[in-house]
Structure formats: structure tokens, C-alpha cells
């Protein structure tokens, strides 16, 4: 009996057996192993969907009664000097869950002493000349370390078959050669590469990459497909491919090599630059270079380093004459049913990969494979399976005309809502606010579904560097935190909301720690280390990993959600709110960008909806926000009839790494904590211009610092100022700010020895969907928390590091309100998809505020960003705002006229929905900024430079009328009125 069958009879037991040492594993293996049906998947942990594919393949091979072992061992022999052994992710809890879901029976996580008695092997397996040929300049001896640990783990686990990914074709080749040479009684099986949505081959090391580094890393896959496409052109008429299942058939190895090397070389001028290791076109059996007259199968392999992270990738190519059976290149769009390859007889969808049959030329994000349909008579041996994504961009390209064509996917063709999930509570978003709300609701017994636009850990929270503010230190009090917050908010904070934040904040942080978040502590006392940031009169900022607080909070909450078994739907763009006959929230419609249990347009029906979708920074050309921050939650709320408030108060972070005048998209942040630790702002002459500007100088509230930098830039005709922290020294930079140090160095700047060029960029939306003290919006049953919400806490300008705390505190308040009300216990009228009919080409739930409203073409996003940056950026005026309003209206009018004249609208898809949402949010922001005729907080009107409390110490409230126009009103005071009962 296998462990899975044994545990099926023992409810409450874990889904996978964890063996933490060799003796425990030997006992388990002796009890459950079935001769001829044992498999092993070797990993170094930090499992992802590529590993899941390996595990599923192993399960299918050995059957339900066989035994599948996953080894988790971070092999020190595979890390060279200066590489990332210490920071390699250890995520055993998450690994256990993924392994269990994919079909593993045992996770064997041995100690170093179990694998290498004495701590280091005295006898090692050498890869010899074969390893030396392609381990690359960066990794001498790497494959000796690989073979040594593989040999040892094969000896310990004694499998009949072992599974390895084809992504590391070099590793697979040396392992096969070792097994053959040493007569190991095991079969080695290669499993196809799994790629992320933007084409990057899945790797645990991908999480090390910053946004700019990831954009550079995509050059590897672009180089592979440039080589392949050059070979296709040399092979003959365009538009032909081999039959499904073959590698791409090409000609001219010389043309393939030239094109791949040229494409990789281009990336050496990127920011950050790519450092190539090798481009090789080789025989997969021994990795010798193939000659120019070669026929047969070859591997095109590339390796390079981006920052401190080394990456590899490869594709299979077949050189020689075409087979008799070919078919046109236009095999159909992925959304029409040719989405992902499916192995016959298994029912398992395999991630689109470059060598899996007919597909159009270009980058993998523009392609997807086709394959025969699964045999319905063959049962699926593993359930449930992790969902996967249809290729989509994870990071933006620049908005240069034509620049996006090579790597941005076409939007999927529309499909009617094909699936529905029912829950008590649906949470939209997976940052600190969303996951906290989900965990607290689930702990109270509610059935919760979390939907998130990208991966569960891909929200804005993980980009937060500085920390989380709370009165945790000696001598600090909530009253002092309250005072600092009210000052920063410039007279329009809702004081009751701020009081709730600062009084409940310390205990909320302690509960976060109990959930698993690990903050930096003093080595001697164990007390949480606290720093100071702009606008704070005390050191009250708790941080983690030096400058990786958001990443640590995200890690802890994601692991907690997985432990709790909360249902999650990843890669899901929320479209619109469902309402019942009473007008109460009844769920959401969404588009899932992937294959698996949920795909395409569907619905999550729930009696409580929590919006935690994050911000809208992508409405500007340069922002610190990730690509997913397109204002989707605010747009949904507006279309649902909810009020939004304070959208004119967009905080521009004063110190964002300046990457040049043409830089667009997500920019690296230089945390406020760097100034909190003593860095100075200076101009090109080294003058500290913040002295005399404010009593706190560089630590003044962000709006004051951003204005001072912008004013100095205008005075001097400069494009940026400088942040000088050379006096920190190398040790402080490396230990306190390792993420920022790496980002700067990746762009050719060493803050240890030179000042860092900085300029303001869009960072945080202080406004959003208006809520009360319990997170309730003006639509019954709809809640909002985090950056998408306007609780009144931030007023006209957010105090540094209050955002994580706000997400935490108000998420808990929302959960308490929902679970106290238990709306799912009260029968409600049937829900329906809201709104008027969408355009003919659209699907129910697409974002159309009224009949005849068009979806915008994806390239409109860049137009909107440039309009907003020019007219509604750091400095605004009546003239700039009027011009922005007129240009935004022209964008909308042109799309409407084209729809009415030609019946044309953009094809529904992720990018068109995002562009449509951005336009709506931009219109509201500009309308509010035009109406607020004063300067307050981060709203700076150069034509109205004074603060006007008599007229404007109040909030603007905006709603969307049925005809698509905006209704802008005001509150009577700085306090918000009530929302819903």
C-alpha cells in the first residue's frame, strides 16, 4: 500500500510523508516501496510549477500504487564562491503542499550530514571534459557538484526511474552519461521545460530578479527564438512547421548561431546589462558543437548572468529536410482551443514550450502549442493539480512604438463564462490586506476564495522595502504616531480612522509575527530593530531582511494561506461586481489567464466581496508599482456604483532610481529608510538643498521632499538630484540595504563610492474606493482595504510605512465585520451579471460602463501614461489638467466613434481590459485634480500654490453615471460620512 492509500484511511494525516533524515526515509521506503514502481524527482526546494510537472509525470509513470519521492536538498557543491547559497530560498512548508498536490508520496529533506557524512564529500564524481565544455566561465566545477549529489541521492533513494527537467539540458546530459558509465540501475527521463507567462523558463532563481533584471533576463529566450526563426527562414517557405510533437525543423546551424548570439549581445547594453556566458548549438548526447552541415536533433543552449543571478535556457531544433506532413502556420489562436500541449491519455495540460509542435514564430509569449485531445477513457491519476498560466507578460516593456510587438501576447478570444465557484467571501488581491482578510475570515469558519491577478506572491506588498510603522519602541505611543500621521495628511485625514490605525496597529503587527513574519531583531536582546523614516519623529519602523520587509510579509502570509487550505485562483483579472436583486454585492466576474480547473471568463459568487487589488501607479509612465497595478479595483467599484475619493492625492516617491530620460514602467525604489539612516539629498554641486526647507530636512514628509527635489530640478535644468550615502560604508550597505545595493549596482551605480541619481516617480494612491471604519463601501456587501481603499487614514499624503499597517489593521476590521454579520446565512435573490450589454465582440462582465462603450486597444495604455505624466504629475496647473482632460476625452471619443462608425472595438483580453480601466481611473483623477483648486499634500497646483482650509478641508467624492460621465461632489468636513448599514 502506498503512503497516499494508507493516509486516505487515516483522516487528518498530512498528504505527503516528510522524511527529515536518512533513517526515517529508509523505514518509509521499506514499508511502501513497490519493486519496479519507484520514482524520484530531485530538487533543491523552492518548488514551482516546473517541479509540479516533473512530479505529475513521475506519478503517471509509476501509477497509483507506485511510490514517488521528491528530494529537497540545497546542495552546497552547486554554488561557487560569491554565489547565492545563503539566500537560496528555503520554503519547505510550501514545498510540501505543492508536492502533495502534484502527486508525491514522500518528501525526503535530508541534512547535509546525511548526504555528506562529515559535512563535505571526500570522494567526488567528476564530469570530466564533458562538464568542462559547457559548465561555462562562471561555474568551474559546477557539474562535478551536480553529479556527486545526484549519485549520492540515487544511492539513498534507490529509484527505478528518475525525472529531471529539460531546461537544464547540460545537466541532463551529464547525468545520463554518469548513469551509463557507472551502470546505475535507473532510467533517466527528461521532462519538457515549463515557462512563465512572459517566456522566462521557470527557475527558483527567478524570484531573485528585480523588475528591470527580469526584463533583461528575457533576452535569453528572445535569443533562442531569434536563432530558431533564423533557421526557419533558412529552411524554406515561411508558414510551415513540422507535425505536432516534433521539435522545430530548421536549416543552417550557422544562421541559428549568428542570430542567437546577436540577440544576446544586444542585451549587454540593457539596464541592467546581461553578461553572456555562452551560446552553444550542440549534440544533446554529449554537448559537442554541431558542424554547419549537421542534420538531426540539436540543442540551442544559452547561459548568462543578470546582476548576481545566473540563468540558463535552451530549445530543441531538428536540422534537415522537412517531413511530408506539414500544416499552415496559422494553426489558430490559443484561446480558440490550441492553448497548451496535452499528452494523449493523461489529461494533463503541459505548459506551452518552444519545442512542442506548431506555433507562430516569435517569442513564446506570442505562442502556444497544440496537441491531440486527451483520451477521456483514461482517468487522471493525480487530483487536484496546480493551475498554470497561459503566456502573458509579467513585466512591461517600454512604450516606444513597435517595441512591444515581439514579446506581448495577443489578447485571448472571448469565451462565455464557463465556470463558477461559490464561497462565503471572495477576496480580490493577495497583498498584505487581501491575505490578512482571507486568513481572518477563514479562521472564523467562513469559506474563502482568494483571486489574484498574478501569482499569489506577486502583489505590490512584496516590493515594499522600508517597513511597517507601529508604536512598538520604548517611549513611543499611539498618540505620537497619530500626531505624525495627521501632520503628514495635511488637514484632511479622518481622525477616527487614524486613531483606529495607530491604537490597533501594534497588536496587529504582533499577530503578523505570530503568523510567521520574521522581522530584523537585535542579536543580543532579541528586540525588534526599529528605524526612522520621513515624517516620523521617532524610530518606529520595523523592517525585515534589511530592506525586504514586503517580501518577508508576503512570504509569511502566502505560506499561512496555503497551510490553511484557502482556495486560490491565480492569474485572474477581476472584471466586474455581481449584484443581487437588492443591489448587494454577490460576487465578481473574472478572466483567468491559464489552463486547468478555472480558465477564461468565469465567476466567483459570494455574499461578501473584499477588494484588495492594490494601486494604480501604471497610470503614469514611471512608477514604483508593479505591472499589475492598473487600477482594476477602483474601476470595478466605479462601474458598480461605488463612491471613490481623494484620487487626486497620488504620492510621488521622492527618491526613485533615475534610469534616464526615456525610462518607463516600473522603476527601482530607493527606500525612505536610506534617508532615515542618515543619507543626504544633494544637487550636482553637492549642496544639501533640504536644509532650511523643513525642520526634519531629508526626513520631511514625502510630498515636501518630492516638491523640493522637483523645484531644484526646475531651477537648475537638471533631470535628477542625488542621494549621498557614501558615508554608510560597504558593510552597512550590504547588511542594511542589500536589495537597493544590488539594484543600483545592476544599473552601473555603486552607492558605496558615488551618489545615487534619484527623481520622483508615482508611488502610492492615498485615495481610492471610499470606506467607513469597517472597510464597508457605499455598495452593500462590497468591502475594500489596502491601497485600493480610501479609509481616510492618509489624507492628502501618506506617512511613510503606514500603508502596510493600514492594510493589516483594516483587513482585520473587515473580517470581523463580515464574520459578525455572516451574510451567507441570509438567503438573497439570484445574482446577475451587472451593467448594460457590452459591445458585440465582448463577453458578459467586460468593463463597459454603458451600452456602446468600447474596449481600448492595448497600445492606448502608453498614450494614457504619457498624458497623465505630462498633465497630472508632480506639478499640476489648471492649464496642464485641462489639456490632460481634453486628451483623455479624445482617446475615449475616438474609440466610441470607431465603434459606432465601423462596429469595431478592441478584442477583449487582459491588456485591453487594463487599458480601459486605466482610462477610467485617469479620467477620475484628472477630474478631481481640476476641481481641487489649491495645493495640499501631494496635490501640487502651481497656479494655486496655497492651502485653502476654508474651502478645501474636505474630500471629493466621485461616482460614475450610467451614461459614462462623472459626478464630482464634496464632503462637508474632513471626516467621511457613513457608507452602508
Amino acid at each position: 500500500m502506498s503512503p497516499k492509500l494508507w493516509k486516505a484511511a487515516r483522516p487528518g494525516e498530512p498528504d505527503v510523508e516528510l522524511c527529515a533524515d536518512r533513517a526515517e526515509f529508509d523505514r518509509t521506503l521499506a514499508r511502501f516501496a513497490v519493486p519496479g514502481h519507484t520514482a524520484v524527482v530531485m530538487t533543491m526546494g523552492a518548488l514551482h510549477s516546473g517541479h509540479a510537472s516533473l512530479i505529475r509525470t513521475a506519478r503517471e509513470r509509476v501509477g497509483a500504487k507506485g511510490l514517488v519521492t521528491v528530494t529537497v536538498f540545497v546542495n552546497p557543491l552547486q554554488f561557487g564562491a560569491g554565489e547565492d547559497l545563503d539566500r537560496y530560498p528555503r520554503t519547505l512548508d510550501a514545498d510540501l503542499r505543492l508536492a502533495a498536490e502534484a502527486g508525491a508520496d514522500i518528501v525526503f529533506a535530508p541534512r547535509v550530514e546525511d548526504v555528506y557524512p562529515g559535512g563535505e564529500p571526500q570522494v567526488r564524481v567528476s564530469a570530466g571534459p564533458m562538464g568542462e565544455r559547457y559548465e561555462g566561465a562562471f561555474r568551474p566545477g559546477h557539474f562535478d557538484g551536480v553529479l556527486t549529489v545526484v549519485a549520492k541521492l540515487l544511492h539513498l533513494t534507490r529509484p527505478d526511474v528518475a525525472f529531471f527537467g529539460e531546461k537544464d539540458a547540460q545537466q541532463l546530459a551529464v547525468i545520463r552519461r554518469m548513469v551509463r558509465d557507472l551502470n546505475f540501475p535507473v532510467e533517466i527521463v527528461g521532462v519538457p521545460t515549463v515557462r512563465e507567462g512572459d517566456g522566462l523558463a521557470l527557475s527558483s532563481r527567478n524570484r531573485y530578479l528585480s523588475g528591470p533584471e527580469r526584463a533583461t533576463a528575457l533576452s535569453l529566450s528572445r535569443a533562442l527564438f531569434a536563432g530558431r526563426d533564423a533557421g526557419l527562414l533558412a529552411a524554406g517557405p515561411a508558414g510551415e512547421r513540422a507535425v505536432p510533437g516534433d521539435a522545430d525543423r530548421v536549416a543552417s546551424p550557422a544562421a541559428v548561431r549568428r542570430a542567437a548570439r546577436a540577440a544576446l549581445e544586444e542585451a549587454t547594453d540593457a539596464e541592467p546589462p546581461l553578461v553572456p556566458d555562452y551560446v552553444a548549438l550542440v549534440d544533446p548526447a554529449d554537448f559537442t558543437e554541431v558542424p554547419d552541415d549537421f542534420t538531426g536533433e540539436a540543442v540551442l543552449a544559452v547561459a548568462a548572468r543578470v546582476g548576481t543571478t545566473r540563468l540558463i535556457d535552451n530549445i530543441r531544433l531538428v536540422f534537415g529536410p522537412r517531413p511530408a506532413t506539414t500544416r499552415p502556420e496559422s494553426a489558430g489562436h490559443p484561446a480558440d482551443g490550441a492553448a497548451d500541449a496535452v499528452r494523449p491519455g493523461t489529461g494533463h495540460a503541459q505548459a506551452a514550450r518552444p519545442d512542442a509542435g506548431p506555433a507562430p514564430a516569435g517569442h513564446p509569449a506570442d505562442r502556444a502549442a497544440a496537441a491531440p485531445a486527451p483520451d477521456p477513457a483514461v482517468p487522471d491519476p493525480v487530483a487536484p493539480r496546480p493551475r498554470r498560466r497561459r503566456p502573458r507578460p509579467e513585466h512591461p516593456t517600454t512604450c516606444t512604438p513597435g517595441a512591444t510587438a515581439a514579446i506581448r501576447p495577443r489578447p485571448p478570444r472571448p469565451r462565455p463564462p464557463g465556470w463558477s465557484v461559490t464561497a462565503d467571501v471572495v477576496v480580490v488581491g493577495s497583498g498584505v490586506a487581501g491575505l490578512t482578510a482571507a486568513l481572518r475570515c477563514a479562521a472564523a469558519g467562513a469559506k474563502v476564495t482568494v483571486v489574484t491577478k498574478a501569482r499569489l506572491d506577486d502583489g505590490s506588498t512584496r516590493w515594499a522595502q522600508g517597513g511597517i510603522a507601529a508604536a512598538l519602541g520604548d517611549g513611543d505611543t499611539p498618540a505620537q504616531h497619530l500626531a505624525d500621521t495627521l501632520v503628514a495628511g495635511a488637514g484632511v485625514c479622518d481622525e477616527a480612522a487614524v486613531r483606529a490605525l495607530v491604537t490597533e496597529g501594534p497588536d496587529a503587527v504582533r499577530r503578523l509575527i505570530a503568523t510567521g513574519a520574521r522581522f530584523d531583531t537585535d542579536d543580543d536582546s532579541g528586540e525588534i530593530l526599529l528605524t526612522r523614516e520621513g515624517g516620523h519623529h521617532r524610530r518606529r519602523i520595523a523592517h525585515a531582511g534589511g530592506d525586504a520587509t514586503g517580501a518577508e510579509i508576503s512570504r509569511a502570509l502566502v505560506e499561512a494561506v496555503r497551510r490553511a487550505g484557502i482556495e486560490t485562483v491565480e492569474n485572474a483579472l477581476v472584471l466586474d461586481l455581481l449584484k443581487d436583486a437588492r443591489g448587494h454585492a454577490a460576487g465578481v466576474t473574472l478572466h483567468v489567464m491559464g489552463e486547468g480547473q478555472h480558465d477564461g471568463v468565469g465567476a466567483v459568487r459570494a455574499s461578501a466581496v473584499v477588494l484588495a487589488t492594490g494601486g494604480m501607479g501604471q497610470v503614469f509612465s514611471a512608477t514604483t508599482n508593479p505591472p499589475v497595478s492598473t487600477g482594476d479595483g477602483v474601476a470595478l467599484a466605479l462601474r458598480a456604483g461605488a463612491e471613490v475619493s481623494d484620487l487626486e492625492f497620488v504620492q510621488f516617491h521622492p527618491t526613485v532610481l533615475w534610469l534616464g530620460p526615456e525610462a518607463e514602467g516600473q522603476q527601482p525604489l530607493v527606500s525612505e529608510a536610506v534617508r532615515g539612516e542618515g543619507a543626504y539629498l544633494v544637487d550636482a554641486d553637492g549642496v544639501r538643498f533640504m536644509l532650511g526647507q523643513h525642520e526634519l530636512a531629508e526626513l520631511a514628509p514625502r510630498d515636501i521632499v518630492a516638491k523640493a527635489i522637483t523645484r531644484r530640478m526646475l531651477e537648475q535644468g537638471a533631470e535628477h538630484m542625488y542621494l549621498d550615502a557614501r558615508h554608510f560604508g560597504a558593510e552597512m550597505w550590504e547588511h542594511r540595504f542589500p536589495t537597493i545595493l544590488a539594484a543600483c549596482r545592476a544599473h552601473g551605480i555603486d552607492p558605496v563610492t558615488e551618489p545615487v541619481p534619484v527623481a520622483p516617480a508615482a508611488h502610492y494612491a492615498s485615495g481610492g474606493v471610499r470606506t467607513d471604519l469597517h472597510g464597508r463601501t457605499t455598495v452593500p456587501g462590497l468591502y475594500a482595504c489596502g491601497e485600493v481603499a480610501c479609509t481616510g487614514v492618509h489624507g492628502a499624503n501618506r506617512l511613510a510605512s503606514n500603508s502596510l499597517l493600514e492594510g493589516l489593521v483594516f483587513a482585520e476590521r473587515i473580517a470581523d465585520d463580515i464574520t459578525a454579520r455572516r451574510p451567507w446565512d441570509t438567503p438573497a435573490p439570484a445574482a446577475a451579471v451587472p451593467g448594460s450589454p457590452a459591445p458585440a465582440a465582448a463577453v458578459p462582465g467586460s468593463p463597459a460602463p454603458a451600452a456602446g462603450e468600447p474596449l481600448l486597444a492595448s497600445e492606448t495604455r502608453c498614450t494614457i501614461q504619457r498624458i497623465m505624466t505630462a498633465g497630472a504629475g508632480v506639478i499640476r496647473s489648471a492649464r496642464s489638467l485641462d489639456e490632460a482632460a481634453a486628451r483623455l476625452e479624445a482617446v475615449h471619443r475616438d474609440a466610441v466613434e470607431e465603434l459606432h462608425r465601423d462596429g469595431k472595438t478592441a478584442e477583449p483580453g487582459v491588456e485591453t481590459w487594463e487599458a480601459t480601466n486605466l482610462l477610467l481611473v485617469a479620467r477620475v483623477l484628472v477630474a478631481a485634480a481640476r476641481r481641487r483648486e489649491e495645493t495640499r499634500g501631494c496635490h501640487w497646483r502651481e497656479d494655486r500654490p496655497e492651502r485653502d482650509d476654508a474651502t478645501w478641508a474636505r474630500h471629493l467624492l466621485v461616482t460614475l453615471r450610467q451614461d459614462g460621465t462623472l459626478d464630482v461632489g464634496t464632503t462637508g468636513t474632513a471626516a467621511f460620512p457613513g457608507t452602508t448599514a
Side-chain angles (χ1 to χ4, degrees):
M1 181 184 294
S2 77
K4 283 197 175 297
L5 296 177
W6 171 64
K7 278 176 257 181
R10 299 185 58 180
E13 291 290 332
D15 291 333
V16 66
E17 190 80 8
L18 173 62
C19 297
D21 58 48
R22 179 176 179 177
E24 186 179 3
F25 177 77
D26 286 344
R27 288 193 297 270
T28 305
L29 193 65
R31 183 174 183 183
F32 297 116
V34 179
H37 294 81
T38 61
V40 68
V41 174
M42 296 184 187
T43 81
M44 293 206 300
L47 303 188
H48 47 63
S49 55
H51 296 111
S53 178
L54 291 168
I55 298 166
R56 288 196 299 267
T57 305
R59 169 55 62 199
E60 293 160 9
R61 173 65 179 271
V62 301
K65 293 184 179 181
L67 190 76
V68 176
T69 296
V70 176
T71 64
V72 173
F73 179 67
V74 181
N75 179 28
L77 301 186
Q78 289 178 238
F79 293 81
E83 289 193 324
D84 44 19
L85 173 60
D86 290 339
R87 70 186 183 108
Y88 190 87
R90 274 78 165 177
T91 56
L92 186 57
D93 288 343
D95 293 346
L96 290 170
R97 180 178 179 274
L98 185 146
E101 288 181 346
D105 298 301
I106 300 172
V107 169
F108 179 31
R111 301 165 300 179
V112 172
E113 304 81 58
D114 287 314
V115 179
Y116 305 131
E120 187 172 331
Q122 299 304 305
V123 177
R124 304 190 185 205
V125 179
S126 173
M130 185 177 179
E132 292 172 2
R133 274 199 300 273
Y134 52 86
E135 62 193 359
F138 292 116
R139 296 190 127 185
H142 168 73
F143 286 110
D144 292 355
V146 170
L147 293 185
T148 300
V149 75
V150 169
K152 193 59 181 281
L153 290 174
L154 287 174
H155 171 70
L156 293 175
T157 58
R158 306 183 288 284
D160 299 298
V161 58
F163 295 83
F164 296 89
E166 290 181 351
K167 177 180 78 72
D168 195 338
Q170 303 92 316
Q171 175 176 288
L172 185 60
V174 294
I175 290 172
R176 281 177 166 152
R177 182 60 179 265
M178 177 193 72
V179 166
R180 184 167 65 249
D181 288 352
L182 300 183
N183 293 316
F184 274 98
V186 62
E187 178 186 355
I188 303 298
V189 175
V191 177
T193 300
V194 176
R195 295 184 179 276
E196 300 199 44
D198 54 7
L200 194 63
L202 265 175
S203 169
S204 301
R205 284 186 166 88
N206 290 357
R207 67 185 65 193
Y208 298 159
L209 299 170
S210 65
E213 287 175 337
R214 187 184 182 96
T216 296
L218 290 173
S219 303
L220 273 75
S221 49
R222 279 198 288 269
L224 293 176
F225 293 100
R228 185 208 61 180
D229 291 347
L232 289 170
L233 290 172
E240 293 189 323
R241 286 284 192 277
V243 294
D246 281 356
D248 291 307
R249 288 187 176 269
V250 297
S252 183
V256 170
R257 287 190 187 95
R258 280 195 304 272
R261 286 171 179 157
L264 208 62
E265 186 65 27
E266 286 181 10
T268 60
D269 294 327
E271 288 294 339
L274 184 100
V275 182
D277 189 353
Y278 60 75
V279 176
L281 186 61
V282 296
D283 185 323
D286 60 7
F287 264 67
T288 54
E289 284 280 344
V290 301
D292 286 346
D293 59 354
F294 177 79
T295 60
E297 183 175 309
V299 170
L300 177 59
V302 294
R305 187 179 295 271
V306 181
T308 60
T309 304
R310 185 178 187 273
L311 300 168
I312 59 173
D313 202 353
N314 69 83
I315 56 174
R316 289 188 303 136
L317 301 172
V318 175
F319 292 86
R322 295 184 182 279
T325 305
T326 61
R327 73 179 191 176
E329 182 176 22
S330 56
H333 191 272
D336 292 327
D340 280 341
V342 180
R343 288 203 306 279
T346 68
H348 284 302
Q350 299 299 303
R353 67 185 187 95
D355 53 352
H363 191 270
D366 291 323
R367 312 160 359 104
D375 181 357
V378 179
D380 188 342
V382 183
R385 298 188 305 275
R387 291 176 294 276
R388 295 175 302 95
R389 297 184 298 281
R390 175 172 294 125
R392 72 181 293 266
E394 295 284 346
H395 294 268
T397 58
T398 65
C399 290
T400 305
T404 62
I407 69 171
R408 296 183 78 92
R410 295 172 292 178
R413 297 279 173 85
R415 285 194 258 180
W419 58 271
S420 178
V421 171
T422 300
D424 298 329
V425 182
V426 57
V427 177
V428 186
S430 61
V432 62
L435 296 187
T436 298
L439 285 165
R440 200 166 175 97
C441 286
K447 183 179 185 296
V448 180
T449 296
V450 175
V451 300
T452 183
K453 192 173 179 181
R455 294 184 297 273
L456 203 58
D457 61 352
D458 252 0
S460 294
T461 291
R462 76 182 182 97
W463 296 98
Q465 293 176 346
I468 184 167
L472 297 168
D474 291 340
D476 197 6
T477 65
Q480 295 175 62
H481 191 180
L482 172 75
D484 285 345
T485 301
L486 293 177
V487 169
V492 288
C493 292
D494 186 319
E495 187 167 341
V498 179
R499 196 171 299 279
L501 176 84
V502 299
T503 56
E504 297 173 20
D507 283 342
V509 172
R510 294 182 185 104
R511 285 188 288 273
L512 179 63
I513 293 170
T515 301
R518 297 187 290 267
F519 290 94
D520 296 336
T521 56
D522 184 84
D523 292 339
D524 297 324
S525 68
E527 294 293 321
I528 294 175
L529 294 173
L530 301 173
T531 191
R532 188 178 166 201
E533 293 184 355
H536 293 271
H537 282 78
R538 284 192 175 271
R539 298 177 77 89
R540 65 168 64 100
I541 316 301
H543 48 83
D547 57 357
T549 308
E552 170 57 19
I553 291 173
S554 179
R555 179 205 62 78
L557 291 174
V558 167
E559 289 186 6
V561 164
R562 288 171 173 161
R563 285 196 304 270
I566 294 172
E567 181 179 23
T568 61
V569 182
E570 296 181 305
N571 310 295
L573 173 66
V574 66
L575 303 178
D576 277 304
L577 186 73
L578 294 170
K579 292 184 181 180
D580 63 23
R582 302 168 301 173
H584 288 216
V588 291
T589 56
L590 57 153
H591 178 84
V592 179
M593 301 157 281
E595 291 294 324
Q597 187 176 355
H598 307 308
D599 182 36
V601 176
V604 179
R605 301 183 184 275
S607 49
V609 177
V610 180
L611 291 180
T613 52
M616 55 183 193
Q618 291 291 326
V619 79
F620 295 96
S621 295
T623 177
T624 63
N625 289 190
V628 294
S629 297
T630 51
D632 307 320
V634 171
L636 174 148
L638 283 163
R639 290 192 295 269
E643 288 181 353
V644 301
S645 184
D646 294 354
L647 242 62
E648 69 271 29
F649 296 128
V650 176
Q651 188 174 78
F652 288 78
H653 197 288
T655 53
V656 175
L657 187 62
W658 188 79
L659 300 180
E662 303 302 320
E664 295 178 313
Q666 187 179 7
Q667 311 290 304
L669 176 68
V670 182
S671 170
E672 194 126 17
V674 178
R675 283 177 282 134
E677 295 290 352
Y680 308 130
L681 281 166
V682 299
D683 60 18
D685 297 321
V687 176
R688 282 186 66 188
F689 57 87
M690 282 305 301
L691 294 176
Q693 298 275 347
H694 189 275
E695 61 169 331
L696 296 176
E698 280 87 359
L699 290 179
R702 287 178 176 173
D703 63 310
I704 293 172
V705 180
K707 291 172 187 174
I709 291 175
T710 303
R711 189 180 293 112
R712 193 74 163 192
M713 288 163 54
L714 291 172
E715 290 171 355
Q716 298 186 347
E719 294 178 308
H720 59 82
M721 291 289 108
Y722 293 94
L723 189 65
D724 192 351
R726 289 174 289 181
H727 52 286
F728 285 6
E731 183 176 357
M732 182 174 175
W733 269 109
E734 289 165 1
H735 288 88
R736 182 64 179 86
F737 302 110
T739 307
I740 298 170
L741 178 64
C744 289
R745 285 177 170 170
H747 291 89
I749 302 158
D750 189 348
V752 176
T753 60
E754 59 186 314
V756 178
V758 294
H763 180 58
Y764 191 87
S766 294
V769 184
R770 183 170 83 81
T771 70
D772 65 10
L773 293 179
H774 302 283
R776 297 178 295 216
T777 74
T778 53
V779 174
L782 177 65
Y783 296 78
C785 55
E787 192 173 354
V788 71
C790 183
T791 63
V793 159
H794 304 307
N797 182 54
R798 176 178 68 102
L799 181 64
S801 290
N802 265 359
S803 53
L804 291 175
L805 189 69
E806 182 201 29
L808 197 61
V809 168
F810 282 87
E812 291 186 345
R813 284 181 153 251
I814 284 172
D816 292 347
D817 189 75
I818 291 173
T819 54
R821 291 169 175 257
R822 297 183 63 83
W824 50 87
D825 290 339
T826 304
V833 174
S836 304
V843 295
S846 59
E853 283 293 303
L855 289 173
L856 301 180
S858 59
E859 56 267 25
T860 309
R861 175 178 183 143
C862 297
T863 303
I864 296 167
Q865 290 171 334
R866 287 171 175 164
I867 291 171
M868 294 298 290
T869 299
V874 179
I875 301 177
R876 303 164 178 173
S877 66
R879 180 177 178 179
S880 73
L881 291 167
D882 289 347
E883 183 177 349
R887 294 178 65 191
L888 291 171
E889 177 57 32
V891 170
H892 181 255
R893 184 179 60 249
D894 289 349
V896 170
E897 289 177 355
E898 184 177 6
L899 172 64
H900 291 167
R901 182 180 65 249
D902 304 323
K904 293 181 180 179
T905 188
E907 189 174 13
V910 175
E911 292 179 294
T912 55
W913 281 316
E914 286 180 336
T916 303
N917 287 342
L918 284 171
L919 178 62
L920 178 54
V921 169
R923 289 173 57 210
V924 174
L925 192 160
V926 169
R930 293 174 78 193
R931 181 73 177 273
R932 184 173 288 279
E933 296 180 331
E934 64 160 352
T935 289
R936 182 184 298 270
C938 51
H939 172 64
W940 183 6
R941 287 275 301 256
E942 61 178 348
D943 59 325
R944 302 278 184 166
E946 302 301 323
R947 175 169 147 179
D948 181 1
D949 284 343
T951 307
W952 291 110
R954 63 194 70 229
H955 302 276
L956 291 170
L957 304 176
V958 183
T959 54
L960 183 66
R961 300 189 184 102
Q962 283 297 310
D963 64 358
T965 59
L966 302 175
D967 182 11
V968 184
T970 66
T971 62
T973 67
F976 277 134
T979 53
T980 59

